[in-house]
Amino acid sequence: MDGVGRSRPRCDDERLQGYNERCAPDARDRRRLVGAIAAFATSEVRGKAAALFATLLGLMLAISGLNVLNSYVGRDFMTAIEHRDRGAFLHQAFLYVAVFGASTAVAVFSRFCEERFGLLWRGWLTGRLVHFYLTNRTYLRVSHDDDLSNPDQRITEDVRTFVTMTLSLFLLFLNGTLTVLAFSGVLWSISHSLFLVGIAYAAVGSLLTVFLGRRSSR
């Protein structure tokens, strides 16, 4: 292979490394994120936001509890089938349907509260940015900046992306944490050894994923 052929992978690696460095969040990005969340938490809509967030948190706790309850009902349901117990089968089938219906209703209402919370945050943040955009004729200075096109459209799209991604990632992390805590108790009640093996398996798998992921991105 000639010198040109050998230099291409190096250029690709340097380009990829530069892209990763530009995209990696730094301390300034984290401060901006915390500042944006703190500004919303202390804004004039903080009362409604706190009520929606508290309701959403309660619903997520209810979903985790119903999932644990559903696991026990499913266990007793299968046990009734195995023992051919007609009375227990009908009882557990009724409980299974009831728990499933309650889980569905809570999940739908949780999604509704999530959307309402996101809309409240987006509306407040959009109004705040538009106020800054119109104050002191900032729009005139921005219009002469060739690097920034369609600022009004970018305000709308960036606010939507920021709120949606931030809220989704936070709720995903919170839901995963609640699920792990809830079913850890179930697994611990079944077998202490199995619980420890599961923790070790998850830890080793996570470490390998991070290690291999970092090596493949270089």
Side-chain angles (χ1 to χ4, degrees), residues 154-199:
R154 293 189 60 176
I155 289 175
T156 303
E157 295 297 327
D158 290 349
V159 166
R160 180 182 62 84
T161 302
F162 169 75
V163 171
T164 302
M165 293 299 296
T166 303
L167 187 58
S168 298
L169 289 175
F170 175 77
L171 292 179
L172 181 65
F173 175 79
L174 181 61
N175 182 59
T177 302
L178 292 176
T179 302
V180 169
L181 293 176
F183 282 96
S184 293
V186 176
L187 189 58
W188 180 264
S189 65
I190 296 174
S191 172
H192 297 357
S193 300
L194 185 61
F195 173 78
L196 296 176
V197 170
I199 293 296

Side-chain angles (χ1 to χ4, degrees), residues 95-108:
L95 289 179
Y96 196 83
V97 173
V99 172
F100 179 78
S103 300
T104 302
V106 172
V108 170

